[in-house]
Amino acid sequence: MSARPRPGDPVITPALVAEHGITEEEYQRLVAMLDREPTFTELGIVSALWSEHCSYKHSRPVLRTLPTQAPWVLQGPGENAGVIALGDGLAIAFKIESHNHPSAVEPYQGAATGAGGILRDVFTMGARPIAMLDSLRFGSLDSPRVRYLFGGVVKGIGDYGNCVGIPTVAGEVVFDPSYEGNPLVNAMCVGVMHERDLIRAAAEGVGNPIMAVGARTGRDGIHGASFASEDLSEASEAKRPRVQVGDPFTEKLLLEASLELIRSGHIVAIQDMGAAGLTSSSAEMAARGDVGVTIDVTKVPVREEGMTPYEILLSESQERMLVVAKRGHEAAVREILGKWDLAAEVIGEVIAEPVYRVTEGERVVAEFPGSRLVTDCPVYAPEARESEAVRALRARDVHAIPARPEERDPAWTLERLLSSPTIASKRWVYRQYDTTVRTGTVVAPGQGDAAVLRVRGTDRAIAVKTDCNGRYVYLDPREGGRIAVAEAARNVACVGGRPRAITNCLNFGNPRRPEVFFQFREAVAGMGEACRVLETPVTGGNVSFYNENPSGAVYPTPVIGMVGVVERLEHVTRSTFRADGDAIVLLGEPTDELGGSEYLARIHDVVAGAPPRCDLARERAVIDALLEAIAAGIVRSAHDCAEGGLAVALAECAIGDAERLVGAEVELDAWRDLPLRALLFGEAQGRIVVGTADPARVLEIAARHGVPARRIGTVRGDSGTLVITAGEGRLVAPLERLARAYHEAIPRLMAGGSAEAAVLEQHPQPAAI
Amino acid sequence: MSRFRVSIHIVPRKGILDPQGKTVADALHTLGFRDVADARIGRHIVLDVAAADAAAAGAAVREMCDRLLANPVTEDYEIAGVEGL
Amino acid sequence: MSRFRVSIHIVPRKGILDPQGKTVADALHTLGFRDVADARIGRHIVLDVAAADAAAAGAAVREMCDRLLANPVTEDYEIAGVEGL
Amino acid sequence: MKFGIVTFPGSNCDYDAYHAVTDVLGADAVYLWHKAHDLEGADVVVLPGGFSYGDYLRAGAIARFSPIMREVAAHARRGGPVIGICNGFQILCEAGLLPGALLRNANLQFVSEPVRLRVENAETMFTHQYRAGQLLRLPVAHGEGRFTGDAETLDRLEGDGRVVFRYVDAAGEPTADASPNGSARNIAGIVSAEGNVLGMMPHPERAVEAVLGSTDGLGLFQSMLARVSA
Ligand SMILES: Nc1ncnc2c1ncn2[C@@H]1O[C@H](COP(=O)(O)OP(=O)(O)O)[C@@H](O)[C@H]1O
Ligand SMILES: [Mg+2]
């Protein structure tokens, strides 16, 4: 049997091949594999499977260099999600995914379906999702279009997660002109499971039926996968009607049904029909199991009449699963789905013959030899060369930049930084997210550097956070890659968690441009170095290339999703100062570094200089020291120094809780020789502000770990001010003013957005949530 | 200038999933309304606008739909009626 | 039995605050559509029903509105059109 | 004493309510499937939060027709306690077991945060463990929580002391800013005329353990336990 063109199929022309994003060589490779011309259906299948999104053809060799092993890793890269052991026979499944391009075209649905997809990746492993995180990047909020995108994305993530009933508990939002026109929308999901329920997505057992489960298949998002592999352009504008619509209600039913199905023992494998829908899910399952499959598209439940095999195979309709059931258990599978008002149809079978075959009734419309469809896809090693311009920026002496007159009062500078949307409170965002459903959230957004979720039936908890400073990565990809991992680890440690593993979402530009591929290669190298030193292996991730707009590529943004384990609930630590009279200790030390800082960007509109150096051994020591102090029960609060440096970190400790402002008196004379603005606002790495009643012991522990540490001040609960002195330098700021700057910045910017708010009302979504 | 009441229908574009419509159709079936084949749910907007004449009112509202009221990616709209006040 | 397309308007009852309508009116003003005095936003539901005749279709749909589609406490509805298919 | 917690398609706080009454309060509980036709001997019925049927059309509009709701209504008519939380409150209003309706939040956004409540009536079977005027801190998480009713409905509720919880500010005053959703008269929870059906938007089941930041919701479940076991 071999595939024949269907009546009415367009003839394969070079133009048609090009339209499918398939290069001349790739087409020759395909012809060689088939040893004949492909049918239109086969062309569609290959264009999806060989798209960057599915094939990782530009990234795989580089990703292979990442560390993926540790005794606690139960499932590394390659499955729908990574899994690590939590102890007591429990495990954590987690994964991050990008939905950048769909969100740029239709922010609400793009973000919502992104959340839906990552949820499915986690529960198809057999894990019950317990939390979501979202890592977002936008242009400047001064632009109405950006406000529209920001508002729509946040509402989309919220409406979806809220409806399914999974709390969204952490993330970041960064605003920078480089993301204008190409926002980054990365969603992460974390789930908990019994190790024994771990299930993989490998087709097995000749004769086992393949079943389509969940929503019907419509003409949604056809070629979304290759869509995600192109620069944003008029072309993608034309793709608009392909945007998928999410149905969180069906997702919730599918979640419950899938977990019941996995525990029932009636199935051998389950996989989300995500990007490139039925095609990639079935082909990947076959390749993983190293078996053949045959699928009859006429058996697939469809939403619209007259759908062609091409459309059915490539549809990206949401809330669908592909299941390999045990032969003879079909009825049992249907019964479980039926309980949740969902359908399950047998659409194919696992076969011994090593082929990937698609039929339309009797007619074979696509047939590929063995699993070569997935394994033989092209791999590229593009040229990598650093951009001269960036090298020049990095070399620039930023200390030569004259201070603005207003800076004579450092309180002015601090206020401006606190009101920078990147630093300011993100409450406007997470107030729209149900953060407490499932009653597991111990540290909610805004309360700590990472979120903490308890694990029922144990005294343990899970700490999670996403982080990445794209500006650092832009100025120095390797250092920036290291820092992304280090900051995420620091944040997790600040709430009392031992960093255990990461997932990552690599958002870059067009890999065929040497300067972009250089950024990619170097950033991944830096990530790998940090993961080795911090013992946080990579268990999975996602690559999103072609994040470009007419004005060029976005900042290279390798977002790190860090997962840590809190051994005992009593170790859980928050970021704001607690008790009057507590000592303030700084772990790590300031430097004269100013390059790549939020200070330069916000106050001087300058993006230049070398980003802060990241000493990985030091980062590890700081985390070990902090965790030992926390375990000793002597840490009342911990907050890492990130954007805005030490002064902003101290301010956040004082005003982070809008209902409980806590003053502080800080004295930094020990570093009086450093330039004041570097001391206050420089972003030297490896620093944590600790509140403690027992500074001596904290210092002793730090010393034992070789971490420079010093008492820098005292919590003055009711003083109502933050005072920082350093030699001649003196910063005195009333907490009310700082709090207003920090807590009201984003609401004020969005209030002007009633027009955008109204636009959001367009979406035919549940008004209620 | 005189005043007009312009009413607009905004509906999910054909072929685009309408979870709300589907759920409502299913609910109507369970309630025993077996003869309902399909339900689509959109928005009904009534605007009170001042314009030179009905044609001008319609034209203005069409522009409002294009720029704000309808989502060009997922929705179609139609002006259902323009009546003088 | 023949098939009919019945379209329904469901609108917030007069006197009930309609923040959505207000936001849309404000937004239209922001966009420069100054001649909009007022906006009300409701639902537009289109059902595809089988019935003996148009009258029967309308009657069936009215019952659906009373039982499910409209909330008697806060909403009014009207059958905007019944057309044969 | 046994709690019956109803699971509708799209309920997502059923599990939280179950955990609160069993693991925390040590009471018995059963999940009641929406298609079921009996309450399995439950003394108190809980309609939990979530998005029954996705909240499509209107929150609670479709769930109210579930088979189990017939039993719930009968239980209520017999004077049996029924508590609807968030989506459960919306379902009770749609089902006519409570007056009024819950509309889209005034700011058109989903609101998730801890709010302050004032106990307006500490005599009910759901609140007698609280003091009248006591201030509680409970989380809300909803997009359609703006309680509405015509003037005489509201006056009757007030007059009969059926307004059980009100949104208030730190000073205990029901100011406009204190309400997360623009509810009429800052109403957060009400009871039926017979006093055995309570609906509230805030989530007491999310505030029963110190580790979650508040235990102010405990009193509600303890009130029911005390009254029903007695
Ligand atoms: N998009 C978001 N969704 C949920 N929580 C968020 C989001 N953005 C920021 N947060 C929360 O706000 C707080 C501050 O975030 P961030 O500035 O990234 O902290 P840090 O500077 O310590 O990394 C954290 O609790 C974070 O989880
Ligand atoms: Mg930060």
Side-chain angles (χ1 to χ4, degrees):
Chain A
M1 258 197 302
S2 155
R4 309 231 170 297
R6 303 172 68 240
D9 272 359
V11 277
I12 312 282
T13 62
L16 187 68
V17 172
E19 246 175 70
H20 280 72
I22 295 175
T23 67
E24 184 49 34
E25 308 90 294
E26 288 174 346
Y27 185 72
Q28 288 322 323
R29 188 189 193 95
L30 169 59
V31 172
M33 180 202 296
L34 293 170
D35 153 36
R36 62 178 163 80
E37 297 281 312
T39 65
F40 178 59
T41 309
E42 289 169 332
L43 188 67
I45 292 175
V46 167
S47 75
L49 290 180
W50 289 4
S51 71
E52 192 67 51
H53 188 87
C54 295
S55 72
Y56 290 81
K57 57 190 169 189
H58 286 95
S59 58
R60 233 181 310 149
V62 174
L63 295 179
R64 283 218 189 80
T65 64
L66 290 168
T68 60
Q69 310 268 314
W72 51 87
V73 173
L74 302 177
Q75 177 61 61
E79 275 289 341
N80 289 322
V83 181
I84 62 172
L86 172 64
D88 308 323
L90 295 172
I92 309 169
F94 60 103
K95 175 92 171 351
I96 192 167
E97 269 271 355
S98 70
H99 236 219
N100 304 339
H101 296 88
S103 304
V105 173
E106 216 303 291
Y108 182 89
Q109 295 295 348
T113 51
I118 196 60
L119 271 164
R120 290 192 292 280
D121 279 341
V122 164
F123 69 73
T124 48
M125 299 302 294
R128 155 114 15 215
I130 61 163
M132 305 254 288
L133 297 82
D134 59 330
S135 177
L136 311 177
R137 304 288 184 282
F138 299 95
S140 160
L141 276 181
D142 301 332
S143 135
R145 173 72 188 169
V146 170
R147 289 198 298 271
Y148 167 65
L149 290 172
F150 175 49
V153 163
V154 168
K155 186 173 164 56
I157 290 169
D159 284 1
Y160 204 99
N162 297 345
C163 182
V164 179
I166 311 303
T168 302
V169 296
E172 346 118 71
V173 193
V174 172
F175 301 90
D176 187 285
S178 105
Y179 300 104
E180 198 84 46
N182 197 128
L184 302 184
V185 176
N186 297 178
M188 175 173 168
C189 180
V190 181
V192 168
M193 69 201 296
H194 289 280
E195 285 188 30
R196 61 165 187 273
D197 291 326
L198 177 53
I199 181 169
R200 297 187 169 79
E204 280 165 17
V206 171
N208 279 337
I210 297 173
M211 303 178 83
V213 159
R216 292 178 162 270
T217 297
R219 290 193 172 93
D220 313 275
I222 289 166
H223 271 190
S226 35
F227 178 12
S229 309
E230 295 164 16
D231 302 357
L232 278 185
S233 63
E234 296 66 26
S236 37
E237 286 296 298
K239 287 184 158 63
R240 280 179 155 211
R242 294 174 175 169
V243 165
Q244 311 101 293
V245 169
D247 178 1
F249 171 55
T250 297
E251 178 94 345
K252 165 68 173 172
L253 302 180
L254 196 56
L255 157 63
E256 298 302 334
S258 299
L259 291 179
E260 213 172 309
L261 205 51
I262 289 164
R263 285 178 193 122
S264 74
H266 294 306
I267 66 172
V268 300
I270 178 168
Q271 156 133 9
D272 167 35
M273 292 198 220
L278 178 54
T279 294
S280 66
S281 50
S282 53
E284 283 169 17
M285 271 188 157
R288 286 202 199 95
D290 194 19
V291 292
V293 298
T294 172
I295 286 177
D296 180 351
V297 291
T298 62
K299 301 271 175 54
V300 177
V302 291
R303 207 170 71 221
E304 297 172 62
E305 280 130 38
M307 289 184 69
T308 64
Y310 180 100
E311 291 173 317
I312 292 171
L313 286 163
L314 296 178
S315 161
E316 296 192 342
S317 293
Q318 299 292 295
E319 293 92 23
R320 299 179 302 159
M321 293 283 187
L322 194 66
V323 165
V324 179
K326 291 181 181 161
R327 183 192 211 146
H329 294 239
E330 297 84 347
V333 170
R334 278 205 197 80
E335 186 178 336
I336 290 174
L337 271 296
K339 171 183 165 191
W340 296 98
D341 305 319
L342 294 172
E345 291 303 329
V346 173
I347 63 167
E349 181 177 318
V350 178
I351 56 177
E353 188 187 353
V355 298
Y356 177 81
R357 179 180 299 136
V358 180
T359 66
E360 181 181 22
E362 289 310 300
R363 183 199 286 109
V364 176
V365 294
E367 179 165 308
F368 297 88
S371 53
R372 291 178 53 191
L373 191 49
V374 174
T375 52
D376 283 23
C377 80
V379 176
Y380 301 110
E383 182 194 354
R385 199 180 342 95
E386 178 164 39
S387 136
E388 283 309 322
V390 169
R391 196 174 303 165
L393 279 179
R394 189 170 58 236
R396 180 160 165 203
D397 171 17
V398 292
H399 289 290
I401 295 167
R404 291 169 55 165
E406 304 94 322
E407 290 183 63
R408 238 178 269 104
D409 176 9
W412 175 87
T413 317
L414 176 58
E415 239 182 280
R416 255 192 85 63
L417 282 172
L418 288 172
S419 63
S420 158
T422 293
I423 289 177
S425 166
K426 305 306 186 301
R427 178 168 172 269
W428 188 90
V429 173
Y430 54 74
R431 189 175 186 244
Q432 297 182 58
Y433 299 158
D434 190 335
T435 56
T436 49
V437 62
R438 299 195 56 72
T439 56
T441 309
V442 177
V443 177
Q447 298 179 348
D449 282 11
V452 177
L453 299 129
R454 66 161 163 192
V455 182
R456 288 249 166 70
T458 78
D459 192 34
R460 292 208 182 79
I462 298 170
V464 287
K465 182 69 168 78
T466 63
D467 275 296
C468 179
N469 183 316
R471 195 184 292 134
Y472 295 167
V473 185
Y474 171 71
L475 290 167
D476 184 339
R478 187 172 290 245
E479 205 68 81
R482 294 188 188 112
I483 291 175
V485 177
E487 186 189 354
R490 234 182 287 132
N491 282 325
V492 160
C494 281
V495 294
R498 164 64 67 184
R500 276 305 184 195
I502 71 162
T503 179
N504 64 86
C505 197
L506 306 175
N507 308 272
F508 289 76
N510 181 342
R512 298 192 214 101
R513 297 203 291 122
E515 64 272 28
V516 168
F517 199 73
F518 174 86
Q519 295 170 330
F520 179 75
R521 198 192 62 201
E522 290 301 299
V524 171
M527 260 173 59
E529 293 170 14
C531 288
R532 286 188 179 83
V533 176
L534 299 175
E535 280 184 284
T536 55
V538 179
T539 63
N542 166 247
V543 178
S544 171
F545 281 132
Y546 306 97
N547 291 289
E548 307 221 344
N549 50 45
S551 50
V554 303
Y555 283 156
T557 310
V559 171
I560 303 301
M562 179 70 67
V563 173
V565 174
V566 183
E567 278 308 321
R568 300 171 59 180
L569 276 174
E570 66 187 30
H571 295 169
V572 169
T573 306
R574 291 170 177 75
S575 56
T576 54
F577 291 137
R578 299 283 122 188
D580 189 45
D582 275 1
I584 303 170
V585 170
L586 178 67
L587 298 182
E589 58 191 344
T591 67
D592 67 350
E593 292 166 303
L594 209 50
S597 62
E598 187 71 16
Y599 162 82
L600 286 180
R602 172 85 170 166
I603 307 295
H604 296 280
D605 199 17
V606 168
V607 173
R613 279 179 314 282
C614 178
D615 173 344
L616 291 169
R618 165 71 63 84
E619 295 286 351
R620 174 66 192 258
V622 166
I623 288 170
D624 291 346
L626 176 64
L627 288 176
E628 183 179 335
I630 286 174
I634 54 173
V635 173
R636 288 254 180 81
S637 70
H639 183 36
D640 88 303
C641 298
E643 292 79 8
L646 181 56
V648 163
L650 287 164
E652 287 173 341
C653 293
I655 62 163
D657 179 350
E659 300 204 336
R660 216 182 108 267
L661 307 185
V662 188
E665 228 172 83
V666 174
E667 178 265 305
L668 304 174
D669 284 353
W671 302 285
R672 63 189 315 154
D673 301 339
L674 293 176
L676 185 64
R677 56 183 182 174
L679 174 56
L680 293 177
F681 308 116
E683 297 172 9
Q685 292 299 294
R687 296 183 300 167
I688 293 170
V689 174
V690 171
T692 174
D694 190 347
R697 199 126 162 256
V698 173
L699 294 175
E700 178 270 320
I701 291 171
R704 203 154 18 78
H705 287 271
V707 173
R710 167 181 296 278
R711 174 173 183 165
I712 59 171
T714 308
V715 176
R716 295 266 178 253
D718 37 23
S719 70
T721 56
L722 172 65
V723 180
I724 306 176
T725 57
E728 306 311 292
R730 186 169 170 78
L731 183 161
V732 182
L735 297 182
E736 270 73 13
R737 292 191 54 172
L738 298 181
R740 223 175 298 116
Y742 180 76
H743 289 285
E744 290 173 20
I746 291 180
R748 205 182 298 109
L749 282 159
M750 290 309 284
S754 83
E756 296 79 35
V759 176
L760 298 181
E761 299 313 308
Q762 294 168 359
H763 302 282
Q765 285 299 311
I769 318 307
Chain B
M1 301 277 274
S2 34
R3 285 173 51 223
F4 300 87
R5 174 175 295 120
V6 183
S7 92
I8 311 157
H9 293 164
I10 298 174
V11 292
R13 178 160 302 157
K14 179 144 188 23
I16 285 224
L17 178 67
D18 175 14
Q20 193 164 207
K22 179 184 170 301
T23 309
V24 166
D26 294 348
L28 287 169
H29 288 164
T30 354
L31 284 184
F33 297 105
R34 304 238 170 282
D35 297 335
V36 177
D38 176 50
R40 306 282 287 173
I41 300 190
R43 278 163 303 118
H44 169 64
I45 302 184
V46 180
L47 298 178
D48 175 340
V49 288
D53 53 35
V61 169
R62 209 162 279 105
E63 194 191 339
M64 299 179 202
C65 289
D66 291 332
R67 285 185 57 195
L68 179 76
L69 301 176
N71 182 337
V73 184
T74 55
E75 297 177 318
D76 293 323
Y77 69 86
E78 68 176 355
I79 310 268
V82 182
E83 97 200 44
L85 294 174
Chain C
M1 300 277 275
S2 33
R3 284 173 53 221
F4 298 88
R5 174 175 298 119
V6 183
S7 86
I8 311 157
H9 292 165
I10 297 174
V11 293
R13 175 150 314 151
K14 282 262 158 300
I16 291 215
L17 182 67
D18 173 17
Q20 212 171 328
K22 189 179 173 317
T23 315
V24 166
D26 295 349
L28 288 168
H29 290 160
T30 324
L31 288 182
F33 297 104
R34 304 241 168 283
D35 299 336
V36 178
D38 172 54
R40 304 282 293 174
I41 299 192
R43 284 194 192 76
H44 172 63
I45 303 184
V46 180
L47 299 178
D48 176 341
V49 289
D53 54 35
V61 170
R62 211 163 279 109
E63 194 190 339
M64 299 178 203
C65 289
D66 292 331
R67 286 189 63 196
L68 173 67
L69 299 178
N71 181 334
V73 180
T74 56
E75 298 173 323
D76 296 318
Y77 70 86
E78 64 173 355
I79 310 269
V82 182
E83 98 200 47
L85 293 173
Chain D
M1 151 79 176
K2 189 160 150 194
F3 287 85
I5 295 154
V6 179
T7 300
F8 298 100
S11 296
N12 60 34
C13 305
D14 46 345
Y15 167 88
D16 301 345
Y18 188 93
H19 167 75
V21 297
T22 56
D23 301 349
V24 180
L25 266 90
D28 275 356
V30 281
Y31 286 111
L32 302 173
W33 188 240
H34 64 107
K35 289 175 187 163
H37 289 278
D38 80 273
L39 300 180
E40 297 182 33
D43 306 286
V44 177
V45 174
V46 180
L47 304 187
F51 288 71
S52 56
Y53 294 92
D55 275 2
Y56 295 143
L57 193 62
R58 297 182 311 275
I62 299 176
R64 81 174 242 229
F65 292 107
S66 308
I68 193 76
M69 284 305 290
R70 259 184 245 107
E71 314 311 320
V72 173
H75 175 76
R77 272 197 305 279
R78 289 192 301 269
V82 176
I83 171 172
I85 300 165
C86 198
N87 193 227
F89 186 11
Q90 294 161 335
I91 294 169
L92 288 171
C93 291
E94 282 283 341
L97 290 169
L98 287 174
L102 293 145
L103 302 181
R104 188 80 177 274
N105 293 350
N107 73 352
L108 300 177
Q109 286 182 344
F110 187 94
V111 178
S112 163
E113 66 189 1
V115 297
R116 281 197 192 70
L117 297 180
R118 192 173 67 200
V119 179
E120 301 293 86
N121 180 343
E123 311 290 294
T124 75
M125 69 167 76
F126 306 96
T127 55
H128 60 87
Q129 302 274 319
Y130 295 118
R131 278 174 289 99
Q134 184 175 346
L135 297 191
L136 311 178
R137 200 121 167 92
L138 299 181
V140 291
H142 61 252
E144 282 191 339
R146 177 166 49 105
F147 184 76
T148 311
D150 53 39
E152 71 263 28
T153 305
L154 297 174
D155 291 338
R156 188 159 13 92
L157 286 171
E158 300 272 12
D160 301 350
R162 289 167 56 190
V163 174
V164 178
F165 299 110
R166 228 186 280 274
Y167 302 107
V168 296
D169 62 14
E173 291 312 311
T175 57
D177 295 350
S179 162
N181 52 33
S183 276
R185 308 185 188 182
N186 283 45
I187 291 173
I190 60 173
V191 281
S192 59
E194 300 68 28
N196 64 312
V197 179
L198 170 76
M200 63 191 294
M201 288 312 295
H203 286 276
E205 83 282 11
R206 298 188 190 183
V208 293
E209 291 166 282
V211 66
L212 301 180
S214 167
T215 55
D216 291 355
L218 270 176
L220 196 117
F221 296 99
Q222 286 161 341
S223 297
M224 290 185 269
L225 263 180
R227 192 57 60 90
V228 177
S229 325

